Amino acid sequence: MSIILSLNSISKRYGAIQALGGVSFSIPEGSVFGILGPNGSGKTTLLGIVTDVLKADSGSFTLFGQAPSAVQRQKIGTLLETPNFYHYLSARNNLKVVAAIKRQSEADIPRVLDLVGLAARQHSAFKTYSLGMKQRLAIAAALLGDPQVLILDEPTNGLDPEGIAEIRTLIRTLATQGKTIIMASHLLDEVEKVCTHVAILRKGELLSSGPVNTVMAREDFIEIGSADVQALTRLIQQHPAFEKVLPNGNNLLHVTFNHAIDP
Ligand code: ADP
């Protein structure tokens, strides 16, 4: 299996903040690759560097085994922030606007609408869409031009449960059609449900990476029953005995013990 993206010791600072401190890992073709970490761990910065929105201070990366170039980037569709769709335009006409901006052919619009399951509602005004449908349209826009790879930053953020389910199903469908998907998420639960591979970031450092089953087998879980997950997470995060704490949405906390500390 070939490597789509290979990162070699990528570092990035914002003034005093070390957003990424020498991160290296590889993303295999055909994977749904989750970049998992709490807010502020460097996920968006990493995706920004890969998509040429930001420049790394040091380190390098390859796309499709080659130095990154405009030709390589054409093979990548991105959804890094919610596009500004026109509320009174239909989905189809909104995609015509996107195609014009991206200098892409309108001929691809029926295909992407079909792919994201919006063909039947393509003539409805955007403002009548549910949250999940709006996000599916955003993914359709990223799929214009038939990129091999799709990069999504927190694709289910801000959605209702129905929308979350729609987007997770769509991601799995796209993967079965051969797309490689790279997605940032702060939800362990999401990565376990949707991704085949994962890289775990914390404070700009890579904690582990590889197939989800292998990586998760190395980690520990604490059953917390029906406790207030968020409050308990905050409490444990402050404790020096724990290196890493992530709620996984099932009354479980995913923790890595800080072996430098004897609690
Ligand atoms: P994540 O996507 O995991 O939430 P980010 O990549 O957005 O993480 O941020 C990593 C760190 O860099 C955080 O501490 C954040 O506050 C900081 N940061 C991100 N963007 C900027 C910026 N433009 N200026 C200053 N600090 C930033």
Side-chain angles (χ1 to χ4, degrees):
M1 192 180 275
S2 59
I3 297 296
I4 293 287
L5 169 68
S6 182
L7 302 167
N8 177 24
S9 201
I10 296 280
S11 294
K12 174 77 181 171
R13 270 185 172 282
Y14 301 102
I17 297 171
Q18 180 89 52
L20 292 172
V23 171
S24 307
F25 61 87
S26 295
I27 298 188
E29 184 180 7
S31 58
V32 180
F33 199 102
I35 297 173
L36 174 69
N39 286 337
S41 55
K43 304 182 296 294
T44 302
T45 301
L46 190 65
L47 296 186
I49 289 168
V50 170
T51 54
D52 208 25
V53 176
L54 293 168
K55 289 271 172 270
D57 297 337
S58 59
S60 61
F61 66 96
T62 57
L63 291 174
F64 308 98
Q66 295 177 11
S69 68
V71 175
Q72 311 300 330
R73 289 206 170 84
Q74 273 174 4
K75 300 181 202 164
I76 300 178
T78 57
L79 176 55
L80 297 187
E81 51 191 54
T82 312
N84 287 321
F85 289 121
Y86 292 97
H87 285 222
Y88 290 91
L89 286 187
S90 65
R92 189 187 177 87
N93 285 337
N94 265 301
L95 287 183
K96 284 186 182 175
V97 175
V98 175
I101 293 169
K102 288 181 157 184
R103 293 165 194 259
Q104 271 160 349
S105 160
E106 289 185 6
D108 203 23
I109 292 175
R111 185 190 66 86
V112 295
L113 282 169
D114 199 34
L115 207 51
V116 303
L118 288 176
R121 288 287 307 275
Q122 62 179 296
H123 298 296
S124 307
F126 177 75
K127 69 184 177 74
T128 66
Y129 275 26
S130 68
L131 292 173
M133 290 166 77
K134 287 176 176 170
Q135 185 68 337
R136 280 191 278 150
L137 184 62
I139 292 177
L143 287 167
L144 281 171
D146 201 14
Q148 252 174 279
V149 180
L150 199 56
I151 296 187
L152 308 170
D153 194 359
E154 301 271 7
T156 61
N157 243 15
L159 299 184
D160 49 18
E162 196 183 332
I164 291 172
E166 284 173 34
I167 296 306
R168 288 178 180 174
T169 303
L170 174 58
I171 290 170
R172 288 191 205 99
T173 305
L174 293 171
T176 62
Q177 296 181 358
K179 304 271 180 228
T180 302
I181 296 166
I182 304 170
M183 55 180 273
S185 177
H186 65 283
L187 300 170
L188 172 67
D189 181 42
E190 176 150 285
V191 167
E192 285 182 321
K193 284 195 174 128
V194 179
C195 298
T196 58
H197 292 68
V198 64
I200 304 180
L201 288 183
R202 184 174 182 253
K203 294 185 181 166
E205 307 268 337
L206 181 75
L207 292 183
S208 48
S209 72
V212 166
N213 293 344
T214 316
V215 170
M216 295 315 174
R218 288 201 298 262
E219 312 292 327
D220 299 290
F221 292 91
I222 295 181
E223 173 78 51
I224 56 165
S226 57
D228 179 337
V229 178
Q230 288 195 346
L232 200 59
T233 303
R234 274 197 300 276
L235 197 69
I236 296 179
Q237 267 167 347
Q238 288 160 11
H239 195 288
F242 295 99
E243 174 72 29
K244 178 180 63 165
V245 183
L246 290 167
N248 86 341
N250 281 329
N251 291 339
L252 283 174
L253 290 186
H254 174 227
V255 300
T256 303
F257 293 98
N258 182 355
H259 295 291
I261 303 250
D262 191 2

